[in-house]
Amino acid sequence: MHNIGILGYGTVGSGVAEVAKETGFLHVKYILDIREIPSVSNIVNDINILINDPEIKVICETMGGKEPAFTYTKLALEKGISVCTSNKELVDAHGVELSEIAKAHNCNYLFEASVGGGIPILRSLRQSCSHEKITNVTGILNGTCNYILTRMKSGQEFDDALKEAQANGFAERNPAADIEGHDTARKIAILASLVSGKKISYEKVLCEGITNISGRDFAYSEKLNMSIKLLGVYDSGQNKNYVLTAPFLVSAEHPLYNVNGVFNGIMIYGTMIDNLMFYGRGAGKLPTASAVISDVIECIKESGRNIYNGLNEEILNVSDINQRRDKFFVRVYDSDLEKVLKSFGHVSDEIKLYSDEFAFITENITLEEFNKLSAGLEIKNKLRVL
């Protein structure tokens, strides 16, 4: 039997306790939480109890946020106790520093559960694809947004879909981190850091959310045999390094088109393996907890040896997103047709579904070129096209 500790007894933390019990060989000796939970007998509120117990070799950090998670994680690693986390915010902000501390004290800092819920994407990149040159990662990385967009595709408006997601426990009471794209941006920053071998911080990621998406956008997407997905993208082709989070129109032929509801889908492209697709539950109590426990088991197996987790201190030079070439789906007022034709030339995909507007798709152009061509147009919405 192996004794472990848990920091934070929320949704994921309670799931970790449940999954640990199911293994039959993990025992949760302590749970650190500021609350008194009558049904839980092993609650403590002092981190020193965990880090000074010689029986505790692995701690699961499921608190979320930067503090006190950072301080507690650092204290544990400095004691030679491995830490497994689901905390994407902490991994993005301090992952490199914590990894170096783990290395110095011959223990481990692992974070499989920080991206993709129960999907074993990070371990696959770290182990099975370690020899590959991964040039592209494109993923649906946020189950809340994907659920909302799936419901909107069925005819709901944004506000109603969000309320339904909250009622079903798929969205937080304050959903800003999800619907404004920040959660996806942090996850693609982690993925990009792993595949590039260099540090990419969340602040360098272009971040657009889904709050501007309307039922009209979905009406056009249906006409085009496409759907709308919030994607995190890392693209390192042609000696450039673009990282962005934004809503895209995705064609029915693309594998991500059929990733619906709270599920996540992640596609990677390697120069040897070509395209790989990872699909599964990207959130939820037990899938995320399962990913945490998978790290715990790896730490136990590799006890006394530091595992390279893929994070490095060197900063990646992120390219100017204004120079990335995309096709853009654009909705404008009907009165702007002559301006559109004058600026963009012939518009082959002009679509008119409503009396007051029409939509079109541009050629492959940079965002900088698009902004110049669209100057003077009153744009109702624009989306990139995958």
Side-chain angles (χ1 to χ4, degrees):
M1 188 69 70
H2 297 274
N3 289 293
I4 65 173
I6 298 175
L7 307 185
Y9 199 65
T11 300
V12 178
S14 60
V16 168
E18 188 174 337
V19 176
K21 184 178 180 180
E22 287 293 318
T23 68
F25 57 84
L26 295 177
H27 172 248
V28 179
K29 189 170 184 179
Y30 302 113
I31 297 170
L32 179 73
D33 202 285
I34 60 173
R35 301 166 298 167
E36 294 289 338
I37 304 175
S39 61
V40 182
S41 60
N42 54 347
I43 290 282
V44 298
N45 54 25
D46 184 354
I47 185 63
N48 291 296
I49 295 174
L50 282 78
I51 64 175
N52 290 322
D53 188 327
E55 292 187 346
I56 300 294
K57 303 299 183 184
V58 184
I59 287 175
C60 305
E61 186 273 297
T62 57
M63 306 180 77
K66 295 178 184 177
E67 285 293 354
F70 171 69
T71 298
Y72 290 172
T73 298
K74 185 178 178 182
L75 287 171
L77 294 173
E78 288 173 342
K79 286 278 191 175
I81 300 170
S82 294
V83 177
C84 307
T85 185
S86 59
N87 189 343
K88 70 192 77 67
E89 185 177 357
L90 186 60
V91 174
D92 173 70
H94 297 292
V96 172
E97 178 184 353
L98 293 171
S99 299
E100 288 300 313
I101 295 171
K103 184 178 180 180
H105 292 85
N106 213 29
C107 57
N108 290 289
Y109 183 63
L110 299 181
F111 43 91
E112 180 65 61
S114 67
V115 178
I119 302 172
I121 179 66
L122 303 190
R123 186 168 285 104
S124 297
L125 291 173
R126 178 162 54 86
Q127 295 180 351
S128 302
C129 300
S130 61
H131 62 290
E132 281 282 344
K133 180 174 174 56
I134 306 296
T135 60
N136 186 279
V137 180
T138 301
I140 296 169
L141 301 171
N142 183 275
T144 299
C145 289
N146 206 43
Y147 179 86
I148 291 170
L149 294 174
T150 300
R151 298 303 297 148
M152 291 181 71
K153 186 178 180 180
S154 299
Q156 283 191 338
E157 285 295 335
F158 176 84
D159 288 343
D160 294 330
L162 173 58
K163 289 177 182 177
E164 183 178 299
Q166 290 171 319
N168 288 327
F170 301 143
E172 301 289 342
R173 186 162 57 180
N174 180 0
D178 293 320
I179 63 177
E180 292 175 4
H182 303 296
D183 178 81
T184 297
R186 286 191 172 92
K187 290 173 180 175
I188 195 61
I190 293 170
L191 287 170
S193 295
L194 291 185
V195 300
S196 69
K198 298 179 181 180
K199 170 66 177 170
I200 300 173
S201 64
Y202 153 74
E203 290 80 8
K204 296 292 185 179
V205 181
L206 172 75
C207 185
E208 297 176 5
I210 64 170
T211 54
N212 289 331
I213 306 298
S214 71
R216 288 194 174 192
D217 293 309
F218 273 97
Y220 286 108
S221 72
E222 184 175 351
K223 181 73 173 178
L224 291 164
N225 198 26
M226 294 181 168
S227 191
I228 301 171
K229 305 290 186 181
L230 181 69
L231 301 180
V233 177
Y234 165 71
D235 180 10
S236 65
Q238 299 180 339
N239 297 317
K240 301 289 185 181
N241 297 297
Y242 297 115
V243 194
L244 69 151
T245 290
F248 279 74
L249 276 173
V250 178
S251 71
E253 290 76 32
H254 197 282
L256 293 176
Y257 176 89
N258 288 312
V259 178
N260 294 313
V262 295
F263 283 82
N264 282 190
I266 307 166
M267 290 197 68
I268 68 171
Y269 178 83
T271 53
M272 300 299 159
I273 54 174
D274 203 80
N275 285 306
L276 287 180
M277 171 84 169
F278 296 81
Y279 171 81
R281 291 193 177 275
K285 176 179 178 176
L286 294 182
T288 306
S290 178
V292 175
I293 292 298
S294 73
D295 279 346
V296 171
I297 293 170
E298 186 171 8
C299 288
I300 291 171
K301 287 181 176 179
E302 302 294 338
S303 180
R305 187 177 77 87
N306 179 257
I307 304 166
Y308 174 59
N309 64 13
L311 295 183
N312 293 287
E313 189 175 0
E314 184 181 355
I315 304 296
L316 181 74
N317 182 25
V318 177
S319 303
D320 180 4
I321 197 65
N322 289 306
Q323 302 306 313
R324 175 184 154 94
R325 304 188 76 83
D326 283 292
K327 289 184 177 181
F328 293 91
F329 163 84
V330 190
R331 289 171 48 214
V332 296
Y333 285 99
D334 198 51
S335 57
D336 278 341
L337 177 58
E338 287 188 15
K339 292 180 182 178
V340 168
L341 294 175
K342 182 178 179 180
S343 297
F344 290 91
H346 175 65
V347 180
S348 58
D349 288 310
E350 179 190 341
I351 314 161
K352 187 165 179 61
L353 296 180
Y354 301 95
S355 61
D356 61 336
E357 68 176 49
F358 71 98
F360 65 97
I361 296 177
T362 71
E363 297 298 319
N364 231 11
I365 58 176
T366 67
L367 182 58
E368 183 178 60
E369 290 170 336
F370 175 84
N371 289 334
K372 288 179 180 178
L373 292 172
S374 62
L377 296 176
E378 191 169 352
I379 296 173
K380 300 188 76 173
N381 205 2
K382 83 171 189 303
L383 303 170
R384 290 170 173 81
V385 180
L386 188 62

